[in-house]
Amino acid sequence: MTDATGVALATQGLAKRYGPRTALDGLDLRVPTGVVYGFLGPNGAGKTTTMRILTGLVHADAGRVELLGRPFGRGDRRRLFEVGSLIEAPSFYPFLSGRENLRALAATGAPTTRGRIDELLTLVNLRDRAGDRVSGYSLGMKQRLGIAGALLSDPRLLLLDEPANGLDPAGIVGMRDTLRALAASGKTVFVSSHILSEVQQLADVVGIIARGRLVREGTIDHLLREEGAVRIRVAPDEVPTAAPILARVAGDDAVELDDGPEAGWLTVRIDPHRSAELNRALAESGLFAARIEGGMTLESLFLGVTGSRPDVGTGPGGADAPPPVTWTTDPGRTKPETTGWSS
């Protein structure tokens, strides 16, 4: 579990309880260096608790954390200068301008150049509003200012909780391009989100947790291929004949009736790229599919492995209680090339 071997963040056996309620129950994560990692889970699964532990806001009851190749514990606060974070909704001084808020944040850590602040304001498309009081900012503008704050330190590891919150479609595209550029430059971006369609476009690797434990982890392509399925429709009276034919291709336990035999739909758990094999097997037996639907989305995978709908963390007192926002700061050196953000 080291950065030298290509792992930027790892947890092992991470456990946390809030009174009688278990938030994390032996969580194991392994986040490669230089990727966008999508951290997913239903409401109360432990996502925010995990991110609070990773930033030192909460101490785990058991288990260990490694950040950037070294164990992370109570005495390692200064190592967070290499980690940028935005957890829950960003908090700012409403009577100060956007630029002044970033200067205040920068003053809490290692020195940050004035030029770095201007670079980041440009990056998130707030340069023209940098002198305005934050009290006049929209939710999306505050979110973009929060992401700029998380980037003040030019961090090697970036932890973002719901970064698309409040952004319009153009802003989401701009954020996606920015985070992809950061990963391409060698940084690691760890993103918790409930917008699964966006995560599918953004992330290289995903980890899905439920009830405080990891239930799936891997590249999106691999997971969608392994969990893939094909739905085939034939005439209702041909379902009893079609099912064993499809089973010979995909396996005895891989075929299920979908909505009963009268609907004519069968679901076959198989790599969608093999749908042509299924169609050929039916045709060779004199059966012809009226429709074939292949593929698996991240949303369908999520629902299948968690049995829940995606959502954000619970409120105060829950297993996934929200924290205050935190930032870490250090001198900035690089600026990714990205497309513009929406105002």
Side-chain angles (χ1 to χ4, degrees):
M1 296 201 306
T2 67
D3 194 32
T5 58
V7 179
L9 183 160
T11 70
Q12 188 174 69
L14 211 59
K16 180 65 180 179
R17 296 182 64 87
Y18 293 103
R21 192 165 179 191
T22 299
L24 298 177
D25 185 22
L27 180 64
D28 298 328
L29 297 176
R30 187 178 177 87
V31 180
T33 299
V35 303
V36 179
Y37 184 102
F39 188 46
L40 310 176
N43 186 34
K47 302 188 301 299
T48 300
T49 293
T50 301
M51 297 188 80
R52 295 183 76 183
I53 291 172
L54 295 177
T55 51
L57 290 171
V58 168
H59 297 295
D61 297 331
R64 65 172 180 155
V65 174
E66 290 195 4
L67 293 179
L68 302 171
R70 290 179 290 166
F72 176 69
R74 290 176 181 267
D76 299 320
R77 293 278 181 163
R78 290 189 63 83
R79 292 202 25 236
L80 291 176
F81 287 166
E82 298 180 278
V83 180
S85 63
L86 170 60
I87 302 178
E88 290 291 322
S91 298
F92 298 105
Y93 297 108
F95 54 87
L96 295 181
S97 69
R99 179 178 284 108
E100 289 167 340
N101 266 281
L102 290 184
R103 289 175 182 167
L105 290 171
T108 65
T112 301
T113 65
R114 184 179 298 241
R116 175 62 174 173
I117 291 174
D118 287 338
E119 283 182 0
L120 292 172
L121 287 167
T122 300
L123 177 67
V124 299
N125 198 23
L126 285 176
R127 188 69 177 266
D128 292 341
R129 299 291 301 274
D132 295 351
R133 290 187 177 187
V134 167
S135 59
Y137 281 16
S138 68
L139 176 61
M141 292 171 66
K142 291 176 182 177
Q143 191 72 5
R144 286 186 277 132
L145 185 63
I147 293 173
L151 289 168
L152 276 170
S153 63
D154 188 23
R156 295 167 59 193
L157 174 63
L158 188 62
L159 307 176
L160 300 176
D161 191 8
E162 303 292 347
N165 185 35
L167 299 182
D168 63 16
I172 291 175
V173 171
M175 178 205 67
R176 183 196 311 154
D177 291 344
T178 297
L179 299 185
R180 295 291 304 170
L182 290 169
S185 72
K187 301 180 188 301
T188 303
V189 183
F190 185 89
V191 177
S192 172
S193 177
H194 69 285
I195 307 176
L196 299 184
S197 59
E198 176 59 29
V199 173
Q200 185 165 347
Q201 297 182 70
L202 171 66
D204 305 293
V205 180
V206 296
I208 303 175
I209 66 171
R211 296 171 294 280
R213 297 183 67 88
L214 184 73
V215 293
R216 289 291 190 281
E217 186 178 62
T219 66
I220 289 183
D221 288 344
H222 175 76
L223 290 177
L224 296 185
R225 184 172 61 251
E226 290 295 307
E227 302 284 344
V230 176
R231 296 179 72 234
I232 297 178
R233 188 174 188 180
V234 297
D237 61 351
E238 294 176 341
V239 169
T241 304
I245 294 171
L246 297 173
R248 286 198 292 271
V249 177
D252 292 338
D253 298 325
V255 180
E256 300 175 355
L257 300 186
D258 193 350
D259 299 325
E262 68 280 357
W265 282 101
L266 301 101
T267 296
V268 185
R269 294 189 302 277
I270 193 173
D271 184 342
H273 290 100
R274 298 182 62 191
S275 59
E277 294 181 44
L278 301 175
N279 194 26
R280 186 181 306 112
L282 291 174
E284 290 174 350
S285 299
L287 302 180
F288 297 93
R291 188 169 179 179
I292 298 177
E293 297 179 353
M296 167 76 75
T297 65
L298 185 58
E299 180 177 356
S300 58
L301 169 62
F302 179 96
L303 296 176
V305 300
T306 66
S308 305
R309 295 203 62 80
D311 205 343
V312 295
T314 61
D320 207 8
V325 65
T326 61
W327 314 97
T328 56
T329 54
D330 203 15
R333 295 180 179 84
T334 62
K335 175 184 175 183
E337 293 185 7
T338 69
T339 60
W341 293 57
S342 169
S343 296

